[in-house]
Amino acid sequence: MTEITQSFADHERIPLKDYAEKAYLDYSMYVVLDRALPHLGDGLKPVQRRIVYAMSELGLSASSKPKKSARTVGDVIGKFHPHGDSACYEAMVLMAQPFAFRYPLVDGQGNFGSPDDPKSFAAMRYTESRLTPYAKTLLSELGLGTVDWGPNFDGTLKEPLMLPARLPNVLLNGSTGIAVGMSTDIPPHNLREVVSACIHLLEQPKATVAELCEHVRGPDYPTNAEIITPGADLRQIYETGTGSVKMRAIWEKENGEIVVTALPHQVSPAKVLEQIAAQMQAKKLPMVEDLRDESDHENPTRLVIVPRSNRVDIQQLMNHLFATTDLERNYRVNLNIIGINGKPQILNLRELLKQWLSFRMETVTRRLNHRLDQVVDRLHILEGLLVAYLNIDDVIYVIRHEDKPKPVLMERFGITGTQAEAILDLKLRNLAKLEEMKIRDEQDALADEREELEKILGSKARLKTLIKRELLADTELYGDERRSILVEREAAQALKHEDLLPSEPVTVILSKSGWVRSAKGHEIDPATLNYRAGDEFRHSAHGRSNEQAVFLDSRGRAYSLLAHKLPSARSQGEPLSSHFSIQAGESFLYTLSGSGSEKVVLASSFGYGFVTELENLHSRMKAGKAVLSVPSGAAPVMPVAFDPGAGNTIICATSDGYLLAFPIEDVPELAKGKGNKLINIPPKRLKAGEEFMVGLTVMAEKQEILVWAGQRYLRMSAKDIEHFRGDRAHRGRKLPRGFQRVTKIELAGD
């Protein structure tokens, strides 16, 4: 035991809390800096950078013959990236997919996946790959002293810590990644637009984000779909570095059919068809009859949606599909990048381009200094070679007769060790080539180059001009037209549930006990149906199966259900109390059905009422919605739906046989409330319950009404009604003898 204790005494002891905190922080920083986030300089994550570098080391340039992908992956994981081969290969495949990368870095031969299934690529033993011409912008200056190098994971090789990108690849190809506690979502952009913004910022260092947005109009995904985000929102994204972009599929009408020709970025055509088909199977898309995928080599995306008839509103249908499927999609934007200071940061467009231009100026400066050093060294050597040419015989004599010719040459001819080494390294056959004119011509050319390099390095303006010229040259080589069209459109709205249901005529039937059912068609006589023992017909309404059925209770509260959810009239129905909560002692009195814009007159037996739209009676709440304020002792009278039109007359009747007619326009239109007085009934008679309003109706010019007194009725035309015309809230006139105990009033033919 003592020996064991002593062996542990030599080890450092730290609290578990401190160890765990440090270990997790180290892991977090590794994920952020070495795995998930791209660097601003070359826009690449470490695995992508290592793949591109390893391919260049294998000689897989755009003009070379491709090699098996397994060879490339083997080099990457064996020399630079000690991780799984499948993850490395997947990263390489992503850089080769033209539907994933705006400017692919890898030219893949074989099955590298498809837009339908990006992960359907063949195994790396089957595919071949090489770099694309665009990858040259990342590699062409690599051996020119432009970047720092570091040891690989086992210290046996050197790898570049950054690639000397000639273009702002971080914006051109974008990037996505999830680190610990942060993530990045950089959308791709158009090369010509981004370079134009870079040049503008070079010329106008104080340019604002708004001015740069005149050049960079928005992201440019590798798809022809539309970006429908408003310009102001796009500018806000570039101001803050965060936001979202909305893309929408492009479609056209062809022979009455809808043809989708472009989908949003990384949206699978098969998934879109699956989403639409699922709605059709759930009977939530009755206006679509068929779907077809006619995509081929000539038409990479061609999805055909066949409407059920030519009466279908295609624009409305597409808006619904945009809102409910991947035909319209949001893309998060988060310009979180490892900046030139090596720290992750969210940058706006101006700061991002400014930092990249700073990186580019440093890269070009290092390249020029590297070349200047080469030129100076070569001029130094040429001076020594010129001395050797002028004294060729003496040089040969020294080399032949001296054991150590280098110090002798240095002493005799006054040359440096470097020059002496260059002379001694010359092969015998090259001595004859040491012609003075050739040496002096090379000296003159290098002297001119040195002068030009020193001018550029000594002038910031000349350096900017050089960078601008190189940017324009690369734009000429690799630039292309914008693919994602920028169009401002309104946000898509999904159709309401009732709009997606089949529209069939139905009759909603309410019994006295509050049981409800629905019969197909409008020709049914509800009174002849079978009712439960002790129950009977109360009220009915004509509507359609995709409309709301509204129920009005004795307190003036409204409740609603979709008509297609009601049980069939073949049964005795179901109690409304199973759907709604109604107070004890109250009951359901009336039902209504129709379009939400239909006009309805609501009134109480005390003679107060108002006009409203049926939509105001719709309610999703189980307790209903207070619509009509019913005074104590009063009850709602039968609501009346009517078609708005000139010449409509509202006719009110009281139980004592008073009738009043006046224009419907005199009745206020409200969403809810008590309303205004329609007909005047003496307050004393109201309180005593001796007289009340039994009902009302709305009559057009050529219609007739029936005034009922028990089993008897009086038919009245518009001409007969003239005798009872007056102002709203007046008493009205008495009906003829025999009709002074009115029970109800209705339109003739109802």
Side-chain angles (χ1 to χ4, degrees), residues 553-555 559 577 580-588 622-623:
D553 73 3
S554 49
R555 285 187 302 151
Y559 310 77
S577 57
F580 308 120
S581 301
I582 188 170
Q583 285 190 2
E586 305 295 342
S587 59
F588 293 99
K622 199 171 182 181

Side-chain angles (χ1 to χ4, degrees), residues 101-113:
F101 259 48
R102 182 64 178 84
Y103 299 96
L105 298 173
V106 176
D107 177 14
Q109 295 192 12
N111 179 9
F112 273 78

